[in-house]
Amino acid sequence: MIQLMPSAISLNAPIEDLYKFRIARLGETLSHKLARALASQAHKKSAAEVTIEDLLTYFPMRYEDRSRPALIRDLRDEMEASLELTVTHAHGYPVRNMPRYGRPKLFIFEVAGIDAAKTGREVIVWWFVSGPRAYDIVKYYTARLTPGTRFITFGKWEFEARRNRYKLRLNKPADELEVLVAPGSAEPEDPEQTEENRSDPSLAAIHVGRRVPVYRKLGEFNSKRVREIVHAVLSILEDESIEETLPSDLRQRARLMGRAQALLEIHFPTQDASMIDYELSHSPAHLRMIFEDFFWVTFAIGVKRGQRVKESKETSVRIDKGVNDAIAAVMPFKLTRAQRKVTAEIFNDMKSTAPMNRLLQGDVGSGKTIVALIAMIAAMENRLQTALMAPTEILAEQHARSIKRLLAKTPYRVELLTGSLRAAEKRRLQTALREGEVNAVIGTQALIQEAVAFANLGLAVIDEQHRFGVMQRAELRARGLNPDVLVMTATPIPRSLAMTVYGDLDVSVIDELPPGRTPIETMVFGEDQRQEVKRLISREVKAGRQVYVVYPLIEGSEKTDLKDATRRYEYLRDTVFPKLSIGLLHGKMKPAEKERVMNAFVAGEIKILVSTTVIEVGVDVPNASVMIVEHAERFGLSQLHQLRGRVGRGAEKSYCVLLTSDRKTVNAEERLGIMAKTSNGFVIAEKDLELRGPGELLGTKQSGLPEFRIANLVRDQQVLEQAKREAEFYLAKEKSAVTAKMIARIKQDPRFGLGAIG
Ligand code: ADP
Ligand code: MG
């Protein structure tokens, strides 16, 4: 049966079929192009899977109140505003790079305009046009912006005293300038974006005299065109075809508007809505969609967690007198209150029949390693094998060294397994692991290589979890039969992130440092203060202490960065401190060489260690009292906090110097200033999350971060808390029909990866 115009459109309808619904100027080709543009936005594998819902969840980036546009008279220097203007003249002129023949490649395009009531002097809107087609684009704009053409433009206006007028520089004219087309008139051909953006003059009323959404350019579709298409779709979509996904009692409790209304109003604010709420993504429509985002993610995590709790491990661990005595025999110091508390939490998990899946958070230097070791001893006393995985060889070696030392008098066999082991040795070790002869293995990612198998892995510890992805956690878990898993991190994870990324983990926090630490003094220095830094180093070394000097290695410029670090090392060694022993450590060195340098530093033979960030995590040399960070502005705050945590581990006062060449910029002031102000890792992580976003903070693209459509972990924390409470409410009623329906829903959504689980 051939259907030319399907009777009703639904949220699940493919975008590729959109042309069947007679949307102005949207033919089959363009429907396909639109689907393709949306596919990557919606994380869909193919354009054919893109639905109307994906289009409607392509949310506006901002809104403009065109019912009351600003006037030239109202402008102030640096003010952000959208103005409706009429072109007085427009032209492009070439700048530099004028080739001897051929056409120029760089232009400035300038439009002068005036508002309808002529409330002030003509203003200038301008932008650069570059590239091989620059000439054509300039020609196009000139034809498009003829005198008398009306347009709306948005941005930050600046007052130019010389010409006594306001100017606005556009970065993306396609997003920031919109031509208003008079009904019935034709538009010139656009060399960049022909058919996509030919808008329909009969739709002109959508764009003016009202509140309008502004979208990021979607493929080749500009904001105006997206607005037209979304508007058209919303007008043919019947309310009843937008299924409500949240139960009505929940909507009442959380005061959420219906889904159909929210989807409509998030695109087209009503005339009486508060525009401030819209700008802050805080309108009732926003809150509904944000809530929904969080609700399903936390609900899905809860379901996963429920499944895990129902699994059972091979053997649960017994904590008896024998275990406690074995632990007491190797303890080098008295545990802090916080360490005792988390140890008890871990023991409870280990005793249970469900596998432990616990995140141990504790600021740098809070003493997580000993807690992990205690858990390992408990498992080994129960005849189970244990594994400890660290992100770098240096760290794995350090753990192996100290654990071997502490367990020297016990019968346990402790081994180190890293990628740099010789092949024969590696094979011998793998056999020993498989036959159960090794009780504790400490290593890097080499632990989760295919050849590694255990006889009876009971506990897997992952140090510095943020360096690993969710996948590696699963890999290590798969080496045993539902072993207990303890992951440790010193990057304090803001609550909001922990609830989503690590939502399926139980969390323990060590919120106290071992006694006898003196706070670290942090200073932000510029290039002109190197003499002071030198004095500080001399003084501390003379007093018998040691110093780190750290260089960043930025991906892509590693070669030059490494050269910088090496050169600085040579300079310090030969010129500045010729009498001191100075070491160099970086990731490109051979493992044996690295170990030699690290050992010499631990032994106090090396006084100043110049290194790249390989020492960032976990390295523990209590005698080191100065941390100098070069190019501090290139590091994230959490990373700086980690680096700073390398000092202040002994009783002596320690110093952290953040050297930066752009000390005077706002960025450096705000970011590095925080480091000087607080030593609280949680405060720093919150700030980092705010400034750099979750992906950066967790330091890995594959961190398992859920894709939110609109929710923002920093901005919307309150909504997250509320959504999580509600998700728990329904999860607790496992048997109810409402909950069953919710579970069925998330299993259908590929974002949650629950499809395969029965
Ligand atoms: P992190 O949590 O950063 O991994 P570590 O486990 O490396 O911290 O511990 C930091 C330092 O504190 C180590 O030198 C460790 O021996 C010491 N330490 C840990 N717990 C205590 C304690 N209860 N009393 C004294 N020193 C401790
Ligand atoms: Mg550690």
Side-chain angles (χ1 to χ4, degrees), residues 20 184 416 522 609 702:
K20 292 179 185 158
L416 173 68
T522 302
L609 183 65
Q702 37 146 347

Side-chain angles (χ1 to χ4, degrees), residues 331-337 339 360-371 395 398-399 405-406 463-464 488-490 510 513-517 617-622 642 645-646 649-650:
M331 286 302 283
F333 36 61
K334 220 173 132 254
L335 291 184
T336 62
R337 178 199 51 79
Q339 283 169 324
L360 176 57
Q361 284 198 47
D363 215 335
V364 246
S366 61
K368 294 183 291 293
T369 316
I370 193 75
V371 173
L395 199 53
Q398 176 185 289
H399 278 318
R405 184 162 35 83
L406 286 169
D463 195 14
E464 306 301 347
M488 309 198 287
T489 181
I510 305 185
L513 294 182
R517 301 264 171 89
V617 282
V619 171
D620 184 30
V621 179
Q642 285 282 329
R646 298 307 109 219
R649 304 191 141 227

Side-chain angles (χ1 to χ4, degrees), residues 356-514:
M356 165 164 77
N357 201 20
R358 186 168 286 276
L359 175 70
L360 176 57
Q361 284 198 47
D363 215 335
V364 246
S366 61
K368 294 183 291 293
T369 316
I370 193 75
V371 173
L373 181 63
I374 290 171
M376 287 165 77
I377 295 174
M380 292 190 291
E381 285 291 312
N382 281 267
R383 299 176 194 289
L384 292 165
Q385 285 178 298
T386 61
L388 168 61
M389 183 162 82
T392 63
E393 291 207 357
I394 290 185
L395 199 53
E397 281 155 14
Q398 176 185 289
H399 278 318
R401 210 171 21 238
S402 61
I403 289 175
K404 276 181 181 168
R405 184 162 35 83
L406 286 169
L407 299 186
K409 294 207 186 84
T410 67
Y412 303 128
R413 179 167 164 199
V414 181
E415 294 285 358
L416 173 68
L417 175 60
T418 64
S420 59
L421 229 52
R422 262 176 288 133
E425 233 173 302
K426 208 183 273 174
R427 268 197 307 276
R428 254 200 306 280
L429 191 51
Q430 280 162 358
T431 311
L433 274 172
R434 200 165 354 164
E435 319 230 293
E437 287 157 14
V438 173
N439 304 95
V441 64
I442 293 148
T444 53
Q445 305 225 18
L447 283 181
I448 51 175
Q449 265 151 21
E450 233 155 276
V452 180
F454 293 81
N456 60 341
L457 179 64
L459 170 67
V461 182
I462 303 176
D463 195 14
E464 306 301 347
Q465 155 77 19
H466 69 291
R467 290 296 192 91
F468 295 111
V470 176
M471 290 313 293
Q472 281 115 323
R473 207 195 320 156
E475 288 268 345
L476 192 53
R477 180 188 289 287
R479 310 276 128 177
L481 270 168
N482 292 327
D484 286 326
V485 174
L486 178 67
V487 300
M488 309 198 287
T489 181
T491 300
I493 296 153
R495 218 181 113 66
S496 57
L497 254 191
M499 274 161 60
T500 48
V501 182
Y502 299 132
D504 63 331
L505 284 94
D506 299 303
V507 179
S508 289
V509 183
I510 305 185
D511 52 4
E512 167 187 34
L513 294 182

